[in-house]
Amino acid sequence: MTPVPEPANPVAAVRAVLPSLTPAAQSIARLILDDPGLVVRSTITEFSGVSGTSEATIVRTARALGFGGYSQMRFALAAAVAKEPERLVPGDLGPDDPLTDVIAKVARAESEAIADTAAQLDPDQLGEVVTAIVGARRVDVYGVAASGLVATDMAQKLLRIGLSIHPFSDAHLALTSAALLKGGDVVVAISCSGETPDVLVPARTAAEAGALVVAITNNPRSSLAGMADHTLISAGRETAFRPGALASRISQLLIVDCIFVGLAQRTYDRADAAIRATRQATDRYRRRT
């Protein structure tokens, strides 16, 4: 199982594990996400009164979120507020927001998702993923809905540098391929929640067949992350107008781009020749049309 990297942004850490928390812990976590400064300003007794939960529940929640206790969580959030206070101000999209605000808020949310993903992306894990794909006999990538678009994007990028990768957004086809994989093959499984059955079941089947599994997910405690050989953590804040998979798409694409560049570097001569050959082919096509 891949060790979970410790993200630089504690708010991103809370958001990442939110789906795996108990209902009581989720209510506390949502308070933290809505107003991180509330924790900074409050003793545990004061926060207990505001949240309507016991101090023991708050301590258990802080530990579930990856902190040693309430004090450690409070200090981490205080450091984040001092470092980047503007990032911790609520700025959700509203139904009456003018388009000028929509542009600003969407741009901010996506830039924050990219920054949080970059901060959490473990270069050692990324390097091992690149090494595995370079040496693989076959590479499959599984993803549905918004993650399916990312899977297709990954396949297109790798094809451009001469690497064959097979994207699947249909669970039956993914299972068919997964059952035929073996040692030396690689599967990249993309799921925001890490619990999508159409991705999780084929990935587990591939692992049982001997393939190495790479997870790209928002949730480091998900079932997918738990069974993967390598986990790359994406980030994205879900809102009323941006469901989870859509919110994380931009960060998933960042991870795919990093894998692509790493592969191009590792196979530079072949990649350079493939890029030149494909560019010449498309240029000739454009001139003829």
Side-chain angles (χ1 to χ4, degrees):
M1 183 186 302
T2 300
V4 176
E6 189 170 313
N9 189 324
V11 176
V14 173
R15 191 176 295 122
V17 301
L18 182 63
S20 62
L21 299 176
T22 64
Q26 282 188 0
S27 65
I28 293 172
R30 287 194 176 95
L31 269 178
I32 296 169
L33 292 176
D34 288 342
D35 185 5
L38 175 64
V39 177
V40 177
R41 298 188 301 269
S42 305
T43 65
I44 189 170
T45 302
E46 292 168 339
F47 189 69
S48 174
V50 172
S51 64
T53 55
S54 69
E55 294 184 14
T57 300
I58 293 171
V59 171
R60 284 195 298 271
T61 300
R63 290 173 179 165
L65 293 172
F67 303 100
Y70 182 77
S71 295
Q72 289 81 358
M73 180 173 70
R74 188 181 181 190
F75 292 148
L77 289 168
V81 170
K83 184 178 179 182
E84 296 181 281
E86 72 285 352
R87 295 192 61 195
L88 301 181
V89 177
D92 201 354
L93 289 163
D96 299 321
D97 280 352
L99 287 178
T100 51
D101 288 357
V102 169
I103 293 169
K105 289 181 179 180
V106 170
R108 174 179 161 182
E110 297 203 351
S111 65
E112 288 181 2
I114 289 172
D116 289 342
T117 300
Q120 295 178 119
L121 195 53
D122 184 343
D124 292 332
Q125 287 285 322
L126 182 65
E128 291 180 16
V129 169
V130 169
T131 298
I133 293 176
V134 167
R137 179 190 72 99
R138 177 183 173 95
V139 180
D140 281 3
V141 56
Y142 307 146
V144 298
S147 295
L149 299 176
V150 177
T152 300
D153 178 81
M154 183 174 185
Q156 291 174 340
K157 281 188 170 71
L158 268 58
L159 179 62
R160 190 73 193 272
I161 58 173
L163 296 174
S164 179
I165 180 170
H166 308 275
F168 294 95
S169 58
D170 179 275
H172 287 194
L173 290 176
L175 279 167
T176 300
S177 181
L180 298 176
L181 298 178
K182 53 189 175 183
D185 296 332
V186 173
V187 161
V188 180
I190 307 173
S191 169
C192 173
S193 66
E195 303 294 346
T196 308
D198 286 4
V199 173
L200 184 59
V201 176
R204 185 175 287 123
T205 301
E208 291 168 353
L212 180 142
V213 177
V214 177
I216 298 178
T217 180
N218 275 34
N219 187 355
R221 299 186 187 180
S222 63
S223 300
L224 180 60
M227 55 83 61
D229 297 286
H230 301 293
T231 299
L232 303 175
I233 303 299
S234 54
R237 184 164 64 89
E238 183 171 0
T239 73
F241 294 94
R242 288 167 59 83
L246 187 62
S248 65
R249 184 197 60 217
I250 191 72
S251 53
Q252 291 172 348
L253 288 170
L254 170 66
I255 293 174
V256 166
D257 284 350
C258 289
I259 293 173
F260 167 76
V261 173
L263 289 167
Q265 290 177 323
R266 197 74 63 87
T267 62
Y268 181 78
D269 290 340
R270 181 175 67 182
D272 182 58
I275 289 173
R276 283 188 282 107
T278 55
R279 182 181 295 122
Q280 288 170 3
T282 55
D283 285 347
R284 285 196 301 269
Y285 174 78
R286 283 194 292 268
R287 285 196 296 268
R288 287 173 183 171
T289 56

